[in-house]
């Protein structure tokens, strides 16, 4: 396993490798091999039953001259009546017996952290430039129609998923999980409005609302309300009619909350919401301990497991579920200030161009990231950048043939 992972050894010292094992048979005979620069060194294993059907397996080895590092756990199959094995929680430590399992400081280096930022910035830049080029050769309304058709196709697939799973299920569509589906629907609706105008934008908002209902994403629900309210206000003399219709729908939802499904719990402090509060607490703690550069991108889950709050509801969260706290925890003030300056510049430029649809989308995207962390995800980041390209790039008439001199 993990053949590119090596750990230092000191000749003359004894080391123990251990892991937890589960299998579907009555017996599994294994031999751990300590693979060093001198080759394989198989050692008989010992095991202890720690839970029904789960064993702690370990073996010890004394490093010899020429053994400067050992590869991550390898073992040889010595027979048994099982058809599969499950191996987890490996540990390498000094001594002749294993100690209780504990997470190790496997933090990535500074070069990996810089690579993450460079990659995110480069991909965003490429999408922005591609959007500027695309809108030079294709009318923005045509692009908006294409996105809207994609939203309809995605809605159909998510609806099929929901019907297959049954009432109460949450659809994910073509995304990894339901929250991405809801957040992506909001971002796509804002993009259609920014490129295709109010009429197409209204249709996209309706499609996004249906998609959002299938996803059950409560944060996306509030972002869609913001986007819908801004769209209704943009209708000029019809704004009060649109906002009145929205108020009527809100009244129906309050009277019949079951129509909203999971969205009716948008203000409920359930276990998911309480877990997020714990994530924020640990993220703030990580920032206070490492205020300038954070603990490193990708390291918040490990930091959380090393510093769990009392009565933790969830372990190993993928992120802090908040854009600002995520950046503070993993990148410190440098990361938050850098992104803040960029967003402020984009917002100022959009306001100067009076690109209200794209500016509202920026606000919706930030609202999406108050209780989640999807800003840099393709379903949110790229639609937002394409909307910025449409607002700050060439005008909608740039696809027309240029006037020849003379």
């Amino acid at each position: 396993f993990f053949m590119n992972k090596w750990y230092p050894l000191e000749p003359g010292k004894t080391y123990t490798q251990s892991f937890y094992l589960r299998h579907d048979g009555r017996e599994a005979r294994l031999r751990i091999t300590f693979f060093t620069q001198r080759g394989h060194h198989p050692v008989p294993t010992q095991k202890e039953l720690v839970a029904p059907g789960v064993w702690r397996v370990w073996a010890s080895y004394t490093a010899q001259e020429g053994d400067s590092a050992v590869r991550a756990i390898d073992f040889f199959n010595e027979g048994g009546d099982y058809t599969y094995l499950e191996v987890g929680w490996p540990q390498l430590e000094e001594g002749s017996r294993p100690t209780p399992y504990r997470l190790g400081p496997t933090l990535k280096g500074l070069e990996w952290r810089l690579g993450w930022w460079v990659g995110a910035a480069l991909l965003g830049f490429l999408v922005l430039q591609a959007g500027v080029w695309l809108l030079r050769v294709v009318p923005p309304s045509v692009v908006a129609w294409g996105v809207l058709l994609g939203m309809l196709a995605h809605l159909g697939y998510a609806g099929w998923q929901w019907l297959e799973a049954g009432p109460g299920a949450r659809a994910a569509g073509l995304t990894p999980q339901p929250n991405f589906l809801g957040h992506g629907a909001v971002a796509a609706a804002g993009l259609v409005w920014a490129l295709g105008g109010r009429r197409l934008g209204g249709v996209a908002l309706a499609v996004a609302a249906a998609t959002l209902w299938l996803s059950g994403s409560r944060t996306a629900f509030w972002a869609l309300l913001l986007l819908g309210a801004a769209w209704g206000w943009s209708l000029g003399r019809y704004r009060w009619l649109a906002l009145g219709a929205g108020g009527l729908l809100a009244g129906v939802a309050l009277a019949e909350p079951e129509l909203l499904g999971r969205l009716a719990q948008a203000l409920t402090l359930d276990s998911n919401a309480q877990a997020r509060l714990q994530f924020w607490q640990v993220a703030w703690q990580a920032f206070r301990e490492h205020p300038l550069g954070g603990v490193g991108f990708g390291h918040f889950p490990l930091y959380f497991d090393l510093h769990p709050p009392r009565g933790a509801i969830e372990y190993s969260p993928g992120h802090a579920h908040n854009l600002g706290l995520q950046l503070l925890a993993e990148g410190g003030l440098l990361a938050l200030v850098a992104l803040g300056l960029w967003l402020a510049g984009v917002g100022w430029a959009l306001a100067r161009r009076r690109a209200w649809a794209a500016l509202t989308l920026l606000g919706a995207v930030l609202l999406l990231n108050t209780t989640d962390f999807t800003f840099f995800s393709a379903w949110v980041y790229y639609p937002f950048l394409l909307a910025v390209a449409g607002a700050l790039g060439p005008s909608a008439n740039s696809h027309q043939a240029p006037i020849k001199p003379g």
Side-chain angles (χ1 to χ4, degrees), residues 21-28 30 53-55 75 77 80-87:
L21 172 69
R22 183 166 62 183
H23 57 82
D24 64 340
R26 289 173 298 178
E27 184 180 21
L30 307 171
V54 180
W55 287 265
F75 58 81
N77 174 19
D81 61 353
Y82 60 88
T83 61
Y84 77 92
L85 296 172
E86 292 179 342
V87 175

Side-chain angles (χ1 to χ4, degrees), residues 359-384:
L359 190 61
T360 304
L361 179 57
L362 171 59
V365 165
L366 294 178
L367 183 55
L368 287 173
N369 283 270
T370 54
T371 61
D372 214 327
F373 178 57
T374 59
F375 183 85
F376 296 105
S377 302
W379 296 273
V380 174
Y381 194 37
Y382 298 155
F384 168 64

Side-chain angles (χ1 to χ4, degrees), residues 21-374:
L21 172 69
R22 183 166 62 183
H23 57 82
D24 64 340
R26 289 173 298 178
E27 184 180 21
R29 296 187 298 274
L30 307 171
R31 181 170 294 206
I32 290 177
T33 173
F34 287 75
F35 186 82
T36 70
Q37 289 81 358
R38 299 189 306 114
H40 284 284
H41 308 288
V43 181
T45 59
Q46 302 182 61
K47 66 179 182 179
E48 176 186 6
L49 188 66
V50 295
V54 180
W55 287 265
R56 182 85 181 273
V57 180
W58 74 90
S60 300
Y61 170 75
T62 301
Q64 308 297 315
E65 290 296 330
D67 294 337
S68 60
V70 64
R71 195 167 69 182
I73 288 179
D74 295 301
F75 58 81
F76 294 149
N77 174 19
E78 303 245 318
D81 61 353
Y82 60 88
T83 61
Y84 77 92
L85 296 172
E86 292 179 342
V87 175
W89 307 103
Q91 182 162 284
L92 172 69
E93 57 190 313
E94 240 184 271
S96 57
R97 287 187 61 86
T99 60
Y101 179 81
R102 61 189 183 280
L103 287 166
T106 55
L107 301 179
K108 298 181 176 73
L110 178 61
E111 65 280 358
W112 188 92
R113 298 165 63 183
L114 292 175
W116 187 93
W117 263 118
V118 170
L122 178 60
L123 286 172
F125 174 78
L126 291 176
V127 170
L128 188 63
Q129 295 303 313
V132 171
W133 171 83
L134 177 66
L135 296 172
R136 282 186 179 141
V137 298
V138 180
S141 59
V142 173
V143 177
W145 269 107
V147 175
L148 179 57
L149 291 175
M151 292 179 66
L152 287 168
H154 206 175
L155 172 61
Y157 181 67
W160 172 80
Q161 284 182 327
W162 183 84
L163 289 173
E164 286 289 307
R170 298 181 64 192
L174 297 172
T175 71
Q177 53 118 313
N179 284 340
F180 281 116
L181 177 63
H183 289 217
V186 171
L191 175 61
V192 172
W193 177 23
L195 296 183
R198 286 192 292 263
R199 290 183 180 179
L200 280 184
V203 177
L205 285 169
V207 174
T211 307
L212 180 59
W213 187 87
L214 293 175
S215 76
S217 175
R218 293 176 290 188
T219 305
F221 173 69
W222 295 112
L224 187 69
L225 286 182
L226 170 63
L227 207 61
W231 174 84
W233 188 259
S234 74
L235 296 179
R237 58 180 177 175
Y238 299 108
R239 69 176 53 142
W240 298 112
L241 179 63
L243 294 177
L248 180 62
L249 290 175
V252 172
L254 289 174
E256 302 290 339
E258 64 274 5
L259 295 176
L260 290 177
R262 187 173 184 268
L263 303 181
Q265 306 169 14
L267 291 176
T268 303
L269 191 62
D270 57 10
S271 61
N272 287 333
Q274 293 174 11
R276 279 167 166 75
L277 294 177
Q278 292 182 337
F279 301 157
W280 297 349
Q281 172 191 342
V282 175
W284 183 252
Q285 176 183 327
F287 163 66
R288 291 182 62 185
E289 291 181 3
H290 307 273
L292 190 59
V295 297
F297 288 99
H299 295 163
F300 176 74
L302 176 61
Y303 182 89
F304 185 93
D305 285 341
L306 291 172
H307 305 84
R310 181 177 299 177
I313 299 173
E314 295 182 27
Y315 285 90
S316 300
H319 48 77
H321 286 78
N322 178 278
L323 175 63
L325 288 172
Q326 175 75 17
L327 292 177
L328 283 175
E330 295 195 343
L333 282 173
L334 292 177
L336 186 64
V337 170
L339 184 67
L341 290 174
W342 180 74
L343 289 176
V346 170
W348 175 252
L350 293 174
R352 291 188 62 185
R353 291 285 186 96
R354 297 182 179 274
W356 305 124
L359 190 61
T360 304
L361 179 57
L362 171 59
V365 165
L366 294 178
L367 183 55
L368 287 173
N369 283 270
T370 54
T371 61
D372 214 327
F373 178 57
T374 59

